[in-house]
Amino acid sequence: MSHNKSVSLVLGSGGARGLAHIGVLHWLDEHGYQVNAISGSSMGALIGGIYATGKLDIYTNWVRALDKGDVIRLLDFAYSRSGIFSGERIMQTLKDLLGDINIEELPLSFTAVASDLEYQKEVWFNKGSLFDAIRASISIPTIFTPVKYKGRLLVDGGLLNPIPIAPTMMDMTDLTIAVNLSAKSEDIVLTKDVSEQLDEVETDYFSGIKKFIDNLQEKFKDEDKNETDVFEILTRSIESMQNSIARFKLASYHPDYIIDIPENACAVFDFHRANEMIALGYERAERTLAHV
C-alpha cells in the first residue's frame, strides 16, 4: 500500500537499540511515506543524519559486516580525564565512507540534539557540519569525550531529550511519527521471516570497552567480586534517566504515532545485534502503521 504522506520522524536515543531506526526507515520507504524532516538524539541523530544523506544502505551494509576486531580498532583512547575514547577515529571513518555535508544542504530538514553541561540546556544543530553535529549528539558521558562548541561543553543529547519531538512541532507535514527506544520491557518474539535475518554467530563488539575499564579497576583487589562494575552502573544509570525523561516527553507532546522498541531489546553497547535490531524496527513499524 502506498500512502504518499509526508512525515516528520523523531528518532530516539538508546545506544545499539537505535539500529532499529534503520528497520523503521526501510519500512517507511517501502510503503510510500515521504520523510521530510528528522529530529534525533544520539543514535537517532546518527541514523537519521545518514538517512538524510541518501546513504543509509551503505552504512547498513558496513555496520552489518563489522566483526569484533573491526570495532575495537575504531575505538581510539583519548588519554583524557573527560572520557575514555575520543570518538574521532569512528567519525573520520564515517566521513570517509559517506562523505561529510552541511546540514543546510541536506534534501530534508534535520535536527541533531546535544546537551550543554554548563547551562543544562538542549542544543539543536540544524546547520553546519552534519558529522560534527552527530559527534556532539552521541557523546555518552565518560565513554566519549565531550565536544567543545562555541565555548560550550556538549554531551549526549539523550541526557536531556531522549526523544526530541519539539524540533518537529512547526513542520508542515501530514504525520509526526516518533520511535521510542525506551518502551516498556517485554518478551520479544520475532516472526519466522524476521528471525531468519539474524546472524548465526554473535560477537560482543564492545567487550573491549568493558575489559579496558575492568583493567583500570584491578588495583581494587579487595572489592567484592559480586559487586556490579562501574561500566554497568554507568550505562544502567544513564538508561534509567533517559527512560524516565522519554516517558515525560511523550506525555507532554503528542506525535500521531509512536513506534515502541522495548528497553530490554538489547543493551546500550550490543552493536553485535545489528541484524536483529534492524529486523525488530521493521516489524514494529509494520505493527504500528500497517493499518494507517
Side-chain angles (χ1 to χ4, degrees):
M1 182 182 297
S2 179
H3 290 272
N4 295 317
K5 289 184 178 180
S6 60
V7 172
S8 292
L9 189 61
V10 181
L11 301 179
S13 64
R17 288 193 303 281
L19 293 168
H21 295 321
I22 297 174
V24 171
L25 284 160
H26 284 169
W27 191 94
L28 291 172
D29 285 345
E30 288 179 12
H31 290 80
Y33 289 89
Q34 180 68 41
V35 178
N36 288 354
I38 294 178
S39 173
S41 276
S42 200
M43 271 298 285
L46 175 66
I47 300 300
I50 293 172
Y51 174 84
T53 68
K55 298 179 179 179
L56 184 60
D57 287 344
I58 296 175
Y59 171 80
T60 301
N61 292 335
W62 176 77
V63 75
R64 279 176 160 164
L66 291 176
D67 62 24
K68 178 180 177 180
D70 293 329
V71 175
I72 297 301
R73 283 189 288 272
L74 289 171
L75 300 175
D76 45 351
F77 292 111
Y79 302 103
S80 168
R81 291 183 296 178
S82 63
I84 299 172
F85 304 108
S86 74
E88 297 308 316
R89 185 176 298 162
I90 189 169
M91 296 313 299
Q92 187 58 53
T93 299
L94 291 176
K95 289 179 183 179
D96 293 341
L97 181 70
L98 304 167
D100 199 5
I101 187 174
N102 285 334
I103 295 173
E104 55 268 36
E105 299 174 66
L106 294 171
L108 54 82
S109 174
F110 175 77
T111 303
V113 178
S115 300
D116 184 329
L117 281 180
E118 182 177 357
Y119 294 100
Q120 301 178 19
K121 295 172 59 177
E122 296 174 34
V123 176
W124 295 2
F125 286 89
N126 47 37
K127 61 181 180 179
S129 165
L130 173 64
F131 280 103
D132 286 352
I134 291 171
R135 173 65 182 86
S137 189
I138 66 171
S139 298
I140 301 173
T142 73
I143 302 300
F144 293 109
T145 55
V147 169
K148 295 179 181 178
Y149 173 78
K150 295 185 177 179
R152 298 176 173 183
L153 199 61
L154 305 183
V155 295
D156 195 297
L159 289 183
L160 296 180
N161 198 346
I163 186 161
I165 302 169
T168 69
M169 296 300 290
M170 299 303 292
D171 291 344
M172 301 298 291
T173 53
D174 297 321
L175 298 173
T176 298
I177 299 172
V179 184
N180 173 30
L181 303 182
S182 303
K184 184 179 179 181
S185 296
E186 61 180 82
D187 292 331
I188 301 170
V189 179
L190 298 178
T191 64
K192 181 178 179 181
D193 287 343
V194 172
S195 63
E196 286 175 351
Q197 300 177 42
L198 308 185
D199 285 338
E200 294 181 358
V201 180
E202 294 186 344
T203 55
D204 187 1
Y205 289 168
F206 279 79
S207 63
I209 300 176
K210 188 176 184 299
K211 181 178 179 181
F212 176 78
I213 296 174
D214 288 344
N215 288 340
L216 291 179
Q217 298 183 92
E218 282 185 355
K219 61 181 179 179
F220 300 108
K221 298 295 184 180
D222 297 328
E223 187 175 4
D224 185 347
K225 296 296 183 181
N226 295 320
E227 188 172 351
T228 305
D229 65 63
V230 67
F231 184 66
E232 184 177 355
I233 290 173
L234 171 65
T235 55
R236 287 170 61 181
S237 296
I238 292 174
E239 281 214 290
S240 296
M241 178 183 64
Q242 290 186 353
N243 294 348
S244 178
I245 296 173
R247 289 190 289 270
F248 173 78
K249 294 292 185 182
L250 289 171
S252 300
Y253 299 95
H254 302 282
D256 297 292
Y257 296 96
I258 302 170
I259 298 172
D260 283 327
I261 305 298
E263 63 183 3
N264 66 323
C266 75
V268 173
F269 295 107
D270 283 351
F271 285 90
H272 61 288
R273 298 174 65 183
N275 285 320
E276 184 179 351
M277 290 301 100
I278 293 168
L280 179 62
Y282 189 96
E283 183 181 74
R284 294 306 165 100
E286 171 74 19
R287 179 186 298 189
T288 305
L289 302 172
H291 303 294
V292 174

